[in-house]
Amino acid sequence: MISIFAFGQKKLNFSDCLALAIKQNLEIQSANVNEEIEKYKFKASYGRLAPELRAEGFQRARFNQIYDFSTNSYIDNTVRELRGTVRANFNLFSGFNVWNTIKVQKQEYAIAKLNSQQQIREITISLAESYLTTLYLTELVKINDQQIQLSEKQLALAQLKYESGVIAESEVFKLKTQKANEELELVNNTNKLIDNWVRLKQLMNLPIQEELVLEAPAVELDSAVLSENNAAEITSKIIDFHPLTNISLLRQTRAKAALAVARSFRYPELNAEFAYRTSSFSNLELVDQELQFDRNRNGFLRLNLIVPIFNQLTTYSRIKQAKGGLKQAGIQIDRVRNQITQEATKAINDTKTARKRVEAASIALEFSKKSYEADALKFELGKINTNELNITKNQYNNAQADLIKSNYELLYNNALINFYLGEPFKL
């Protein structure tokens, strides 16, 4: 089961995986599309400053017959009219509604760009978690496999001792139980490994069946991050740099522009309309059509002033809603700062804790290994029973897993803090 997912032709480090994810991840692609949409909306908003032009043309016929008493017959008196009109509307003043609408769209576009950056950040963090978890589970599966091999040797030895009458059959059953538990743990960890491979490949939008090999990174620490006295300073920098902080500030600016738009409906609206038209009629046979077009030309320029007096409290409601949106934007700024502060503080504390865990796990592994090797020799010589051997063995196995996990946690949290501070996520 391991070989299907753990080897292949394509060998990738974290930088390779991140480049693939940024290029192919579906969430990032969706955020980029939304950014393009907001970009065109922003550009289109400037169109409201330009006049509106439209051309109209139609041809109509009025069918009619008249009775000619001199000829005692009906005469066709159908008249066909060909008319063309060009109109232009100019918005001269609308309470600065257009300018403030442009400001709103500008903020929407800026927010969309930051959302794209934030999506890349979130995918980067998720990718790092999945990448390191996959490496951790790969090593854990190898350890599980080694445990089973050792249990098989110990079980074979116990079987010989039992057949020789040295130990009771219950000791053999205990080793079989231990081996069965280790096989179950191997199955569980293998399933977790497969799930993480699927998640990792989906983050990069790769086929599930594609075989990959991940390069294990070296653990390198940043002493500045681990300093005991600079946590508040680092947290402050993270808050200022974080895209969510800038997004919340832009949303507050957008809310101010939206309030200005709502207030613009209080002001009069002044529009100018210009029209130019001409026409020709088919019943004027003695007058050439071009001459008719020339003679029938006419145009007008009209100014329309609309003064709002009462509109069923619609404007009042718009202003109140916009003010509420502005207050919510201000509250959201503080909420975002609190959220980022929690994340940054947790990352710093987790890094410091992980460093101590690595030191403790290294010592625990060293002595648990010596203890297990000594007890394994004692078991072969018949000086300890199966229970004592299994206790020591489980302690050794747990120490191996704890050290691997602690190393990866330290690597992840240290890289996460640097990433929060604006550096690339390096593993």
Side-chain angles (χ1 to χ4, degrees):
M1 294 179 68
I2 303 173
S3 61
I4 296 176
F5 291 91
F7 74 92
Q9 298 298 322
K10 185 177 288 188
K11 190 173 184 179
L12 301 175
N13 56 28
F14 178 74
S15 297
D16 298 329
C17 293
L18 181 58
L20 281 172
I22 292 175
K23 180 180 179 181
Q24 300 180 175
N25 182 267
L26 298 179
E27 297 298 328
I28 294 177
Q29 291 181 25
S30 177
N32 291 336
V33 171
N34 288 334
E35 181 182 339
E36 285 295 315
I37 292 173
E38 293 301 329
K39 175 182 178 181
Y40 290 119
K41 285 183 178 180
F42 172 52
K43 289 184 176 180
S45 65
Y46 278 98
R48 296 185 61 184
L49 296 173
E52 179 186 353
L53 298 175
R54 66 179 184 272
E56 303 172 0
F58 65 87
Q59 182 180 18
R60 64 182 178 181
R62 185 177 62 194
F63 298 97
N64 187 23
Q65 287 183 333
I66 60 175
Y67 187 77
D68 187 356
F69 290 95
S70 62
T71 60
N72 198 26
S73 62
Y74 287 96
I75 300 174
D76 184 17
N77 193 33
T78 299
V79 177
R80 289 179 171 81
E81 179 186 5
L82 182 63
R83 182 186 296 271
T85 305
V86 177
R87 297 180 184 273
N89 293 317
F90 300 85
N91 184 289
L92 302 178
F93 180 76
S94 58
F96 304 105
N97 180 288
V98 174
W99 280 111
N100 287 310
T101 300
I102 292 173
K103 290 180 181 179
V104 170
Q105 290 300 328
K106 182 180 180 180
Q107 301 307 319
E108 291 284 2
Y109 177 41
I111 290 171
K113 289 194 290 186
L114 286 176
N115 278 331
S116 296
Q117 297 177 17
Q118 177 62 16
Q119 191 64 58
I120 292 175
R121 287 171 60 90
E122 292 177 0
I123 294 300
T124 299
I125 294 173
S126 297
L127 184 72
E129 292 176 352
S130 185
Y131 185 92
L132 293 177
T133 302
T134 302
L135 289 174
Y136 165 68
L137 290 172
T138 301
E139 294 191 42
L140 202 57
V141 166
K142 291 179 181 179
I143 293 174
N144 294 150
D145 192 53
Q146 294 171 0
Q147 293 170 359
I148 293 172
Q149 293 177 13
L150 289 174
S151 294
E152 288 175 348
K153 293 179 181 179
Q154 293 166 354
L155 181 59
L157 179 60
Q159 187 68 33
L160 291 175
K161 288 184 177 183
Y162 164 68
E163 293 173 356
S164 301
V166 177
I167 61 174
E169 187 177 12
S170 61
E171 298 296 314
V172 178
F173 292 156
K174 292 175 183 177
L175 283 174
K176 288 184 177 180
T177 301
Q178 176 71 15
K179 180 174 177 290
N181 289 334
E182 291 170 351
E183 290 174 344
L184 178 60
E185 186 177 1
L186 175 62
V187 171
N188 291 335
N189 288 331
T190 302
N191 288 336
K192 291 178 182 179
L193 176 60
I194 294 173
D195 291 341
N196 271 277
W197 269 117
V198 172
R199 181 169 179 263
L200 182 64
K201 292 175 181 178
Q202 286 180 341
L203 285 171
M204 295 183 287
N205 197 23
L206 294 176
I208 296 177
Q209 65 273 15
E210 185 167 350
E211 297 176 354
L212 304 174
V213 173
L214 302 182
E215 294 182 7
V219 179
E220 297 179 358
L221 305 183
D222 189 340
S223 58
V225 173
L226 297 177
S227 172
E228 296 292 338
N229 301 319
N230 64 346
E233 180 184 351
I234 291 175
T235 301
S236 178
K237 290 180 180 178
I238 291 174
I239 292 174
D240 293 337
F241 180 79
H242 205 291
L244 288 180
T245 302
N246 296 325
I247 289 174
S248 64
L249 293 173
L250 285 174
R251 284 176 175 165
Q252 186 182 50
T253 305
R254 180 191 61 183
K256 292 178 180 178
L259 176 59
V261 171
R263 286 172 172 166
S264 68
F265 291 99
R266 288 175 170 177
Y267 298 97
E269 182 178 348
L270 179 62
N271 296 316
E273 181 183 1
F274 173 75
Y276 177 85
R277 58 191 169 201
T278 187
S279 60
S280 69
F281 297 89
S282 61
N283 61 330
L284 302 177
E285 298 177 355
L286 299 179
V287 182
D288 184 72
Q289 189 178 46
E290 293 184 5
L291 184 58
Q292 290 188 54
F293 281 139
D294 184 62
R295 290 180 176 178
N296 293 336
R297 287 184 301 174
N298 62 86
F300 67 86
L301 176 63
R302 180 168 57 194
L303 295 177
N304 299 321
L305 179 63
I306 303 173
V307 180
I309 298 176
F310 182 73
N311 62 349
Q312 301 175 336
L313 301 179
T314 301
T315 301
Y316 177 81
S317 176
R318 286 172 177 168
I319 294 174
K320 285 294 184 182
Q321 292 178 36
K323 286 182 177 179
L326 181 58
K327 290 180 181 179
Q328 287 285 13
I331 293 172
Q332 187 63 21
I333 290 175
D334 294 333
R335 293 176 62 184
V336 167
R337 289 181 180 275
N338 291 338
Q339 175 189 340
I340 297 172
T341 300
Q342 291 178 0
E343 293 177 358
T345 304
K346 182 177 183 302
I348 293 172
N349 292 334
D350 286 348
T351 304
K352 296 176 180 178
T353 303
R355 183 181 188 183
K356 296 177 181 179
R357 286 187 60 185
V358 168
E359 296 172 354
S362 299
I363 296 173
L365 177 61
E366 179 185 357
F367 289 104
S368 63
K369 180 180 180 182
K370 292 179 179 179
S371 178
Y372 171 70
E373 291 174 347
D375 283 356
L377 181 59
K378 291 178 182 179
F379 177 76
E380 293 178 4
L381 298 176
K383 294 186 177 182
I384 61 173
N385 59 28
T386 305
N387 285 337
E388 294 172 309
L389 176 65
N390 285 338
I391 290 173
T392 309
K393 184 181 180 182
N394 288 334
Q395 290 175 346
Y396 174 52
N397 295 337
N398 292 336
Q400 286 180 291
D402 286 344
L403 180 58
I404 296 171
K405 184 178 181 181
S406 299
N407 277 324
Y408 283 134
E409 285 181 348
L410 177 58
L411 179 65
Y412 170 77
N413 285 294
N414 190 73
L416 181 62
I417 295 173
N418 290 327
F419 183 62
Y420 281 161
L421 291 172
E423 298 180 13
F425 205 114
K426 294 181 180 180
L427 295 179

